Amino acid sequence: SGPSSDIYFGYSLAQHFTKRDKKAFILVGAPRDDYKGFKRSGAIYKCPVSLKRTDDCEQVRVDFEPKNNTDEG
């Protein structure tokens, strides 16, 4: 079983290819999914291009933390 239909999994799609790893995958939008405890904030999933499985997508981390703190008084 995959994600429930009420999160609109598959609402948007984008194909992506990484040159470094030489792997293709699909980015899948789920605009009504939960992300990090926030209800219906939306989420993006990374799914390998494969016909073997339907449950191998993983949620993509979209927030980031600064590499260094430049907020010096």
Coordinates of all heavy atoms in Angstrom, one line a residue:
S1 N 0.8 -1.2 0.0 CA 0.0 0.0 0.0 C 0.9 1.2 0.0 O 1.9 1.3 0.6 CB -0.9 0.0 1.2 OG -0.3 0.3 2.4
G2 N 0.4 2.3 -0.7 CA 1.2 3.5 -0.7 C 0.5 4.6 0.1 O -0.3 4.3 0.9
P3 N 0.9 5.8 -0.1 CA 0.3 6.9 0.6 C -1.2 7.1 0.4 O -1.7 6.7 -0.7 CB 1.0 8.2 0.0 CG 2.2 7.6 -0.6 CD 1.9 6.3 -1.1
S4 N -1.9 7.6 1.3 CA -3.4 7.7 1.2 C -3.7 8.8 0.2 O -2.9 9.8 0.0 CB -4.0 8.1 2.6 OG -3.5 9.3 3.0
S5 N -4.8 8.7 -0.4 CA -5.2 9.6 -1.5 C -5.6 11.0 -1.0 O -5.5 12.0 -1.8 CB -6.4 9.0 -2.3 OG -7.5 8.9 -1.5
D6 N -5.9 11.2 0.3 CA -6.3 12.5 0.8 C -5.1 13.4 0.9 O -5.3 14.6 1.2 CB -7.0 12.3 2.1 CG -6.2 11.8 3.2 OD1 -5.2 11.1 3.0 OD2 -6.6 12.1 4.4
I7 N -3.9 13.0 0.7 CA -2.8 13.9 0.8 C -2.4 14.4 -0.6 O -1.5 15.2 -0.8 CB -1.5 13.3 1.4 CG1 -1.0 12.1 0.6 CG2 -1.8 12.9 2.9 CD1 0.4 11.6 1.1
Y8 N -3.1 14.0 -1.6 CA -2.9 14.4 -3.0 C -1.5 14.0 -3.5 O -0.9 14.7 -4.3 CB -3.2 15.8 -3.2 CG -4.6 16.3 -3.0 CD1 -4.8 17.7 -3.1 CD2 -5.6 15.5 -2.7 CE1 -6.1 18.1 -2.8 CE2 -6.9 15.9 -2.5 CZ -7.1 17.3 -2.6 OH -8.4 17.7 -2.3
F9 N -1.1 12.8 -3.1 CA 0.2 12.3 -3.6 C 0.2 12.1 -5.1 O -0.7 11.5 -5.6 CB 0.5 10.9 -2.9 CG 1.8 10.3 -3.3 CD1 2.9 10.6 -2.6 CD2 1.9 9.4 -4.3 CE1 4.2 10.1 -2.9 CE2 3.1 8.8 -4.7 CZ 4.2 9.2 -3.9
G10 N 1.1 12.8 -5.7 CA 1.2 12.7 -7.2 C 0.6 13.9 -7.9 O 0.5 14.0 -9.1
Y11 N 0.2 14.9 -7.1 CA -0.4 16.2 -7.6 C 0.5 16.8 -8.6 O 0.1 17.4 -9.6 CB -0.7 17.1 -6.4 CG -1.5 18.3 -6.9 CD1 -2.9 18.3 -7.0 CD2 -0.9 19.5 -7.0 CE1 -3.6 19.4 -7.4 CE2 -1.5 20.7 -7.4 CZ -2.9 20.6 -7.6 OH -3.6 21.7 -8.0
S12 N 1.8 16.8 -8.3 CA 2.8 17.3 -9.2 C 4.0 16.3 -9.3 O 4.3 15.6 -8.4 CB 3.3 18.7 -8.8 OG 3.9 18.6 -7.5
L13 N 4.6 16.3 -10.5 CA 5.7 15.4 -10.7 C 6.8 16.1 -11.5 O 6.6 17.0 -12.3 CB 5.3 14.2 -11.6 CG 4.1 13.3 -11.1 CD1 3.6 12.4 -12.2 CD2 4.5 12.6 -9.9
A14 N 8.1 15.7 -11.2 CA 9.2 16.2 -11.9 C 10.2 15.0 -12.0 O 10.5 14.4 -11.0 CB 9.8 17.4 -11.2
Q15 N 10.8 14.9 -13.2 CA 11.8 13.9 -13.4 C 13.2 14.5 -13.1 O 13.4 15.7 -13.4 CB 11.8 13.4 -14.8 CG 12.8 12.3 -15.1 CD 12.8 11.8 -16.5 OE1 12.0 12.3 -17.3 NE2 13.6 10.8 -16.8
H16 N 14.1 13.7 -12.4 CA 15.4 14.3 -12.1 C 16.4 13.2 -12.3 O 16.2 12.0 -12.1 CB 15.4 14.7 -10.6 CG 16.7 15.4 -10.3 ND1 16.9 16.7 -10.7 CD2 17.7 15.1 -9.5 CE1 18.1 17.1 -10.2 NE2 18.6 16.1 -9.5
F17 N 17.6 13.6 -12.7 CA 18.7 12.7 -13.0 C 20.0 13.3 -12.3 O 20.3 14.4 -12.5 CB 19.0 12.5 -14.5 CG 20.1 11.6 -14.8 CD1 19.9 10.2 -14.7 CD2 21.4 12.0 -15.1 CE1 20.9 9.3 -15.0 CE2 22.4 11.2 -15.4 CZ 22.2 9.8 -15.3
T18 N 20.6 12.5 -11.5 CA 21.9 12.9 -10.8 C 23.0 12.5 -11.6 O 23.2 11.3 -11.9 CB 22.0 12.4 -9.4 OG1 21.9 11.0 -9.4 CG2 20.8 13.0 -8.5
K19 N 23.9 13.4 -12.0 CA 25.1 13.0 -12.8 C 26.1 12.3 -12.0 O 26.7 11.3 -12.5 CB 25.7 14.3 -13.4 CG 24.9 15.0 -14.5 CD 25.6 16.2 -15.0 CE 24.7 16.9 -16.0 NZ 25.4 18.1 -16.5
R20 N 26.2 12.7 -10.7 CA 27.2 12.0 -9.9 C 26.9 10.5 -9.7 O 27.8 9.7 -9.8 CB 27.3 12.7 -8.5 CG 28.3 12.2 -7.6 CD 28.2 12.9 -6.3 NE 26.8 13.0 -5.8 CZ 26.5 13.4 -4.6 NH1 27.4 13.7 -3.7 NH2 25.2 13.4 -4.3
D21 N 25.6 10.2 -9.3 CA 25.3 8.8 -9.0 C 24.7 8.1 -10.3 O 24.6 6.9 -10.2 CB 24.2 8.8 -8.0 CG 24.6 9.4 -6.6 OD1 25.8 9.4 -6.4 OD2 23.8 9.9 -5.9
K22 N 24.5 8.9 -11.3 CA 23.9 8.3 -12.5 C 22.6 7.6 -12.3 O 22.4 6.4 -12.7 CB 24.9 7.5 -13.3 CG 26.1 8.3 -13.8 CD 27.0 7.5 -14.6 CE 28.1 8.4 -15.1 NZ 29.3 7.8 -15.5
K23 N 21.7 8.2 -11.5 CA 20.4 7.6 -11.1 C 19.3 8.5 -11.5 O 19.4 9.8 -11.3 CB 20.4 7.3 -9.6 CG 21.3 6.2 -9.2 CD 21.1 5.9 -7.8 CE 22.1 4.7 -7.4 NZ 21.9 4.3 -6.0
A24 N 18.2 8.0 -12.0 CA 17.0 8.7 -12.3 C 16.0 8.5 -11.2 O 15.9 7.4 -10.6 CB 16.5 8.3 -13.6
F25 N 15.3 9.6 -10.9 CA 14.2 9.4 -10.0 C 13.1 10.4 -10.3 O 13.3 11.4 -11.0 CB 14.6 9.5 -8.5 CG 15.4 10.7 -8.1 CD1 14.8 11.8 -7.7 CD2 16.8 10.7 -8.2 CE1 15.5 12.9 -7.3 CE2 17.5 11.8 -7.9 CZ 16.8 12.9 -7.4
I26 N 12.0 10.3 -9.6 CA 10.8 11.2 -9.8 C 10.6 11.9 -8.5 O 10.6 11.3 -7.4 CB 9.5 10.4 -10.2 CG1 9.8 9.6 -11.5 CG2 8.3 11.3 -10.3 CD1 10.0 10.3 -12.7
L27 N 10.4 13.2 -8.6 CA 10.0 14.0 -7.4 C 8.5 14.1 -7.4 O 7.9 14.5 -8.5 CB 10.6 15.4 -7.4 CG 12.2 15.4 -7.3 CD1 12.7 16.8 -7.5 CD2 12.6 14.8 -6.0
V28 N 7.8 13.7 -6.4 CA 6.4 13.7 -6.3 C 5.9 14.6 -5.2 O 6.3 14.5 -4.1 CB 5.9 12.2 -6.0 CG1 4.4 12.1 -5.9 CG2 6.5 11.2 -7.0
G29 N 5.0 15.5 -5.6 CA 4.4 16.4 -4.7 C 3.2 15.8 -4.0 O 2.4 15.1 -4.6
A30 N 3.1 16.1 -2.7 CA 1.9 15.7 -1.9 C 1.5 17.0 -1.1 O 1.9 17.1 0.1 CB 2.2 14.6 -1.0
P31 N 0.7 17.9 -1.7 CA 0.5 19.2 -1.1 C -0.3 19.2 0.2 O -0.4 20.2 0.9 CB -0.3 20.0 -2.2 CG -0.8 19.0 -3.1 CD 0.1 17.8 -3.0
R32 N -0.9 18.1 0.6 CA -1.7 18.0 1.8 C -1.1 17.1 2.8 O -1.8 16.7 3.8 CB -3.2 17.7 1.5 CG -3.8 18.7 0.6 CD -5.3 18.5 0.4 NE -6.0 18.7 1.7 CZ -7.3 18.4 1.8 NH1 -8.0 17.9 0.8 NH2 -7.9 18.7 3.0
D33 N 0.1 16.7 2.6 CA 0.8 15.7 3.6 C 1.3 16.5 4.7 O 1.5 17.7 4.7 CB 1.9 15.0 2.8 CG 2.3 13.7 3.6 OD1 1.7 13.4 4.6 OD2 3.3 13.1 3.1
D34 N 1.6 15.8 5.8 CA 2.2 16.4 7.0 C 3.8 16.4 6.8 O 4.3 15.5 6.2 CB 1.9 15.6 8.3 CG 0.4 15.6 8.5 OD1 -0.3 16.5 8.0 OD2 -0.1 14.7 9.3
Y35 N 4.4 17.4 7.4 CA 5.9 17.4 7.3 C 6.4 17.9 8.7 O 6.0 19.0 9.1 CB 6.4 18.4 6.2 CG 7.9 18.4 6.1 CD1 8.6 17.3 5.6 CD2 8.6 19.6 6.4 CE1 10.0 17.4 5.6 CE2 10.0 19.6 6.4 CZ 10.7 18.5 5.9 OH 12.0 18.5 5.8
K36 N 7.2 17.1 9.3 CA 7.8 17.4 10.6 C 6.8 17.9 11.6 O 7.1 18.9 12.3 CB 8.9 18.5 10.4 CG 10.2 17.9 9.7 CD 11.3 18.9 9.9 CE 12.6 18.1 9.8 NZ 13.7 19.0 10.2
G37 N 5.7 17.3 11.7 CA 4.7 17.6 12.7 C 3.7 18.7 12.3 O 2.8 19.0 13.1
F38 N 3.9 19.4 11.2 CA 3.0 20.4 10.7 C 2.0 19.8 9.9 O 2.2 19.1 8.9 CB 3.8 21.5 9.9 CG 4.7 22.3 10.7 CD1 6.1 22.0 10.7 CD2 4.3 23.3 11.5 CE1 7.0 22.7 11.5 CE2 5.2 24.1 12.3 CZ 6.5 23.7 12.3
K39 N 0.7 19.9 10.3 CA -0.4 19.3 9.6 C -0.7 20.0 8.2 O -0.7 21.2 8.1 CB -1.7 19.5 10.4 CG -1.6 18.7 11.7 CD -1.7 17.3 11.5 CE -1.7 16.5 12.9 NZ -1.6 15.1 12.7
R40 N -0.8 19.1 7.2 CA -1.1 19.5 5.8 C -0.2 20.7 5.3 O -0.7 21.6 4.6 CB -2.6 19.9 5.7 CG -3.5 18.8 6.1 CD -4.9 19.1 5.6 NE -5.8 18.0 5.9 CZ -6.1 17.0 5.2 NH1 -5.6 16.8 4.0 NH2 -7.0 16.1 5.6
S41 N 1.0 20.7 5.7 CA 2.0 21.7 5.2 C 2.5 21.4 3.8 O 3.1 22.2 3.2 CB 3.1 21.8 6.2 OG 3.8 20.6 6.3
G42 N 2.3 20.1 3.4 CA 2.8 19.7 2.1 C 4.2 19.0 2.2 O 4.9 19.2 3.2
A43 N 4.4 18.1 1.3 CA 5.7 17.4 1.3 C 6.1 17.0 -0.1 O 5.3 17.0 -1.0 CB 5.5 16.1 2.2
I44 N 7.4 16.7 -0.2 CA 7.9 16.2 -1.5 C 8.5 14.8 -1.3 O 9.2 14.6 -0.2 CB 9.0 17.1 -2.0 CG1 8.4 18.5 -2.3 CG2 9.6 16.6 -3.3 CD1 9.4 19.6 -2.6
Y45 N 8.3 13.9 -2.2 CA 8.8 12.6 -2.1 C 9.8 12.3 -3.3 O 9.6 12.8 -4.4 CB 7.7 11.5 -2.1 CG 6.9 11.5 -0.9 CD1 5.9 12.3 -0.6 CD2 7.3 10.6 0.1 CE1 5.2 12.3 0.5 CE2 6.5 10.5 1.3 CZ 5.5 11.4 1.5 OH 4.8 11.4 2.7
K46 N 10.8 11.5 -3.0 CA 11.8 11.1 -4.0 C 11.6 9.6 -4.3 O 11.7 8.8 -3.3 CB 13.2 11.4 -3.5 CG 14.3 10.9 -4.4 CD 15.7 11.2 -3.8 CE 16.8 10.5 -4.5 NZ 18.1 10.7 -3.8
C47 N 11.2 9.3 -5.5 CA 10.9 7.9 -5.8 C 11.8 7.4 -7.0 O 11.9 8.1 -8.0 CB 9.5 7.8 -6.3 SG 8.3 8.4 -5.2
P48 N 12.5 6.3 -6.8 CA 13.3 5.7 -7.9 C 12.5 5.3 -9.0 O 11.3 5.0 -8.9 CB 14.0 4.5 -7.2 CG 13.2 4.2 -6.0 CD 12.5 5.4 -5.6
V49 N 13.0 5.4 -10.2 CA 12.3 5.0 -11.4 C 12.5 3.5 -11.5 O 13.5 2.9 -11.8 CB 12.9 5.6 -12.7 CG1 12.2 5.1 -13.9 CG2 12.8 7.2 -12.6
S50 N 11.4 2.8 -11.2 CA 11.4 1.3 -11.0 C 10.0 0.8 -11.2 O 9.0 1.4 -10.7 CB 12.0 0.9 -9.7 OG 11.8 -0.4 -9.5
L51 N 9.8 -0.4 -11.7 CA 8.5 -1.0 -11.8 C 8.4 -2.1 -10.8 O 7.4 -2.8 -10.7 CB 8.3 -1.6 -13.2 CG 8.2 -0.6 -14.3 CD1 8.1 -1.3 -15.7 CD2 7.1 0.4 -14.1
K52 N 9.5 -2.3 -10.0 CA 9.5 -3.4 -9.0 C 8.7 -3.2 -7.8 O 8.1 -4.1 -7.2 CB 11.0 -3.7 -8.7 CG 11.8 -4.2 -9.9 CD 13.2 -4.5 -9.5 CE 14.0 -4.9 -10.7 NZ 15.4 -5.1 -10.3
R53 N 8.7 -2.0 -7.2 CA 8.1 -1.7 -6.0 C 7.3 -0.4 -6.1 O 7.5 0.4 -6.9 CB 9.1 -1.5 -4.9 CG 9.9 -2.8 -4.6 CD 11.0 -2.5 -3.6 NE 10.4 -2.0 -2.4 CZ 11.2 -1.6 -1.3 NH1 12.5 -1.7 -1.4 NH2 10.6 -1.2 -0.2
T54 N 6.3 -0.3 -5.2 CA 5.5 0.9 -5.1 C 5.6 1.6 -3.8 O 5.1 2.6 -3.6 CB 4.0 0.6 -5.4 OG1 3.6 -0.3 -4.4 CG2 3.8 0.0 -6.7
D55 N 6.4 1.0 -2.9 CA 6.5 1.6 -1.5 C 8.0 2.0 -1.2 O 8.4 2.1 -0.1 CB 6.1 0.6 -0.5 CG 6.9 -0.7 -0.5 OD1 7.7 -0.9 -1.4 OD2 6.8 -1.4 0.5
D56 N 8.7 2.4 -2.2 CA 10.1 2.7 -2.0 C 10.4 4.2 -2.1 O 11.5 4.7 -2.3 CB 11.0 1.9 -3.0 CG 10.7 2.1 -4.4 OD1 9.6 2.7 -4.7 OD2 11.4 1.6 -5.3
C57 N 9.4 5.1 -2.0 CA 9.6 6.5 -2.0 C 9.9 7.0 -0.6 O 9.5 6.4 0.4 CB 8.3 7.2 -2.4 SG 7.7 6.8 -4.1
E58 N 10.8 8.0 -0.6 CA 11.1 8.6 0.7 C 10.9 10.1 0.7 O 11.0 10.8 -0.3 CB 12.6 8.3 1.1 CG 13.6 8.9 0.1 CD 15.0 8.5 0.4 OE1 15.3 7.3 0.4 OE2 15.8 9.4 0.6
Q59 N 10.4 10.6 1.9 CA 10.1 12.0 2.0 C 11.4 12.8 1.9 O 12.4 12.4 2.6 CB 9.3 12.3 3.3 CG 8.6 13.6 3.3 CD 7.8 13.8 4.5 OE1 8.3 13.7 5.6 NE2 6.5 14.1 4.3
V60 N 11.4 13.9 1.2 CA 12.6 14.7 1.0 C 12.7 15.8 2.1 O 11.6 16.5 2.4 CB 12.6 15.4 -0.4 CG1 13.8 16.4 -0.5 CG2 12.6 14.4 -1.5
R61 N 13.8 16.0 2.7 CA 14.0 17.1 3.7 C 14.1 18.4 2.9 O 15.0 18.5 2.1 CB 15.2 16.8 4.5 CG 15.5 17.9 5.5 CD 16.7 17.5 6.3 NE 17.0 18.7 7.1 CZ 18.2 18.9 7.6 NH1 19.2 18.1 7.4 NH2 18.5 20.0 8.3
V62 N 13.3 19.4 3.1 CA 13.3 20.6 2.4 C 13.8 21.8 3.2 O 14.0 22.8 2.6 CB 11.9 20.9 1.7 CG1 11.6 19.9 0.7 CG2 10.9 21.0 2.8
D63 N 13.9 21.7 4.5 CA 14.4 22.8 5.3 C 15.9 22.6 5.4 O 16.5 21.6 5.0 CB 13.8 22.8 6.6 CG 14.0 21.5 7.4 OD1 14.2 20.5 6.8 OD2 13.9 21.6 8.7
F64 N 16.6 23.6 5.8 CA 18.1 23.5 6.0 C 18.5 24.3 7.2 O 17.8 25.2 7.6 CB 18.8 24.0 4.7 CG 18.6 25.5 4.4 CD1 19.5 26.4 4.8 CD2 17.5 25.9 3.7 CE1 19.3 27.7 4.6 CE2 17.3 27.2 3.5 CZ 18.2 28.2 3.9
E65 N 19.7 24.1 7.6 CA 20.3 24.8 8.7 C 21.6 25.5 8.1 O 22.3 24.9 7.3 CB 20.7 23.9 9.8 CG 19.5 23.2 10.5 CD 20.0 22.2 11.5 OE1 21.1 22.3 12.0 OE2 19.2 21.4 11.9
P66 N 21.8 26.7 8.5 CA 23.0 27.4 8.0 C 24.3 26.7 8.4 O 24.4 26.0 9.4 CB 23.0 28.8 8.7 CG 21.7 28.9 9.4 CD 21.1 27.5 9.5
K67 N 25.3 26.7 7.5 CA 26.5 26.0 7.7 C 27.4 26.7 8.8 O 28.1 26.1 9.5 CB 27.3 25.9 6.4 CG 26.7 24.9 5.4 CD 27.5 24.8 4.2 CE 26.8 23.8 3.3 NZ 27.6 23.6 2.1
N68 N 27.3 28.0 8.9 CA 28.0 28.7 9.9 C 27.2 29.9 10.4 O 26.3 30.4 9.7 CB 29.4 29.2 9.4 CG 29.3 30.1 8.2 OD1 28.2 30.7 7.9 ND2 30.3 30.2 7.4
N69 N 27.4 30.4 11.5 CA 26.7 31.5 12.1 C 27.4 32.8 11.9 O 28.5 33.0 12.4 CB 26.5 31.2 13.6 CG 25.6 32.3 14.2 OD1 25.2 33.2 13.6 ND2 25.2 32.1 15.5
T70 N 26.9 33.6 11.0 CA 27.6 34.9 10.7 C 26.9 36.0 11.5 O 27.2 37.2 11.2 CB 27.5 35.2 9.2 OG1 26.1 35.3 8.8 CG2 28.2 34.1 8.4
D71 N 26.2 35.7 12.5 CA 25.5 36.7 13.3 C 26.3 37.1 14.5 O 26.0 36.9 15.7 CB 24.1 36.2 13.8 CG 23.2 37.2 14.3 OD1 23.4 38.4 14.0 OD2 22.2 36.9 15.0
E72 N 27.5 37.7 14.2 CA 28.4 38.1 15.3 C 28.3 39.5 15.6 O 28.7 40.4 14.8 CB 29.9 37.7 14.9 CG 30.0 36.2 14.6 CD 31.4 35.9 14.1 OE1 32.3 36.8 14.1 OE2 31.6 34.8 13.7
G73 N 27.8 39.9 16.7 CA 27.5 41.1 17.3 C 28.1 42.3 16.8 O 28.1 43.4 16.8

